[in-house]
Amino acid sequence: MARRARASRIWYLLLVPPTVAPLLTPLYNRIEPTLWGLPFFYWYQLMCAVLAMVLITLVHVATRERRHGWQ
């Protein structure tokens, strides 16, 4: 049981990058490079939002069975 709980916690580490990346504003507070006319500042934030949605979905699906006790 402890091994299963530890494996489940590893999935939750995937939620750290999409939480921390948008907080590092000095790293992406610039205009260049542009993507389809959008300054880097805006498309980086959009990329972070999309990445967060993908990772949250992945973690939810991977840990859903463990949380509800379904086998």
Side-chain angles (χ1 to χ4, degrees):
M1 186 72 168
R3 175 179 275 177
R4 198 178 281 178
R6 192 175 317 130
S8 179
R9 281 190 220 133
I10 290 173
W11 282 106
Y12 292 111
L13 289 176
L14 286 175
L15 299 176
V16 173
T19 304
V20 174
L23 298 176
L24 303 174
T25 309
L27 296 179
Y28 64 91
N29 188 14
R30 58 183 175 195
I31 296 173
E32 296 292 331
T34 60
L35 180 68
W36 300 305
L38 285 173
F40 182 74
F41 183 78
Y42 293 114
W43 68 259
Y44 178 82
Q45 289 179 351
L46 183 63
M47 178 202 63
C48 285
V50 171
L51 179 66
M53 287 186 282
V54 169
L55 289 177
I56 289 169
T57 302
L58 178 69
V59 170
H60 172 71
V61 169
T63 60
R64 175 176 44 193
E65 295 169 356
R66 291 185 188 92
R67 278 186 284 125
H68 297 296
W70 298 331
Q71 301 271 333

